Amino acid sequence: MTRADTHDARTARTTGASGAAEDSRAERVHDQTTRFHDRAVTDVPVTTEGLPDWLDPVVRATRTVAPEQLSRFLPPANGLGRQSAVLILFGEGERGPELLLMERASTLRAHAGQASFPGGALDPEDGDPATTGPLRAALREAEEETGLDPTGVQLFGVLPKLYIPVSEFVVTPVLGWWHTPTPVGAVDLAETARVFAVPVADLTDPANRVTATHPSGVHSPAFTVASALVWGFTAGVIDRILHFSGWERPWDRSKEVPLDRRS
């Protein structure tokens, strides 16, 4: 799931009555996320026990970040939207901490060729969208798309639900630690071109950071890593994780990369 217009937290501030409404909605979403996390622990395990020390800043950020600090697009207050989840999976490779990403097939009609987290819409068998459904969906979709063994993944956090207006997806970002990696790859080449890991060092390298510019006028953070341009929803979430974890390094936001109108 990727889309450029899902992220720009810096423009999320509003004033007057509309600002009060946004604040109220943000509080409701944050409270809902807290209840979700508390209830999820009793069913699908979500624990920080045994994590590597370098993940501590991510854990702290996950526990304290507010929805409006992640995106100006939050789930509709009326509850509408298609429930979905993505797995933000941290592992440790030859060059240290890394993130697992995938690249969508270039033949797809929607988001062709874009880099994304593993994930997708909730299925009925995943269960309650307000509690453990997104946890199961994130692991299930990751297994279906990349072939990873979910028993090697420890879920350690859940970010507030976000919203992708163009597709009406309500997305729960689920964070995991890949304590026992297994071989991964594109399970269905009709949908996924490749699966790849990106070192966090590359994501924080200012040389790999750019601003993606959509013909619609939307600007969003992006990354040029692993022969891919990571932008939209995925890049927005990565950008915020790096920022609130204290991993972000100063980068040149004036360096722009234009996007195709079909993006």
Side-chain angles (χ1 to χ4, degrees):
M1 297 177 186
T2 52
R3 194 67 183 179
D5 54 3
T6 62
H7 169 74
D8 188 355
R10 293 179 298 279
T11 63
R13 299 183 182 89
T14 55
T15 58
S18 61
E22 288 295 324
D23 290 343
S24 176
R25 182 174 65 172
E27 290 176 1
R28 290 197 302 272
V29 173
H30 191 268
D31 290 343
Q32 181 186 50
T33 301
T34 301
R35 292 195 301 272
F36 166 83
H37 188 276
D38 291 342
R39 294 175 62 186
V41 173
T42 64
D43 191 350
V44 180
V46 178
T47 176
T48 59
E49 184 177 355
L51 294 178
D53 292 342
W54 56 263
L55 270 175
D56 287 348
V58 180
V59 172
R60 288 193 294 269
T62 302
R63 289 173 171 170
T64 58
V65 69
E68 66 274 12
Q69 292 177 306
L70 293 174
S71 174
R72 64 192 178 99
F73 295 107
L74 302 180
N78 59 13
L80 295 178
R82 190 178 182 187
Q83 296 294 324
S84 61
V86 295
L87 180 63
I88 304 174
L89 186 59
F90 288 90
E92 192 156 7
E94 295 180 357
R95 295 180 53 206
E98 58 187 22
L99 271 177
L100 184 70
L101 297 177
M102 47 183 278
E103 184 177 308
R104 293 170 58 84
S106 60
T107 53
L108 293 175
R109 288 185 297 177
H111 312 306
Q114 293 184 24
S116 69
F117 300 118
L122 269 66
D123 286 346
E125 59 267 27
D126 293 324
D128 187 356
T131 56
T132 56
L135 302 179
R136 292 194 185 89
L139 290 173
R140 174 184 55 75
E141 286 282 347
E143 181 179 16
E144 292 176 358
E145 292 175 331
T146 75
L148 68 76
D149 182 352
T151 63
V153 176
Q154 173 184 339
L155 301 184
F156 68 86
V158 180
L159 291 174
K161 292 177 182 289
L162 303 176
Y163 187 59
I164 303 180
V166 67
S167 59
E168 299 183 344
F169 274 111
V170 175
V171 186
T172 300
V174 179
L175 288 88
W177 158 238
W178 206 5
H179 59 78
T180 308
T182 50
V184 293
V187 174
D188 185 354
L189 292 176
E191 295 188 359
T192 306
R194 62 175 175 138
V195 176
F196 58 100
V198 179
V200 171
D202 288 350
L203 294 167
T204 59
D205 186 345
N208 298 330
R209 303 215 55 180
V210 296
T211 296
T213 305
H214 194 271
S216 65
V218 173
H219 301 268
S220 63
F223 303 83
T224 54
V225 291
S227 302
L229 174 65
V230 183
W231 64 283
F233 176 85
T234 301
V237 173
I238 293 174
D239 170 79
R240 294 295 82 193
I241 289 176
L242 297 181
H243 176 77
F244 288 107
S245 298
W247 290 349
E248 183 180 36
R249 296 164 59 188
W251 57 283
D252 184 3
R253 299 174 186 272
S254 68
K255 186 169 65 173
E256 297 186 1
V257 172
L259 298 172
D260 189 278
R261 181 166 294 278
R262 294 169 296 177
S263 299

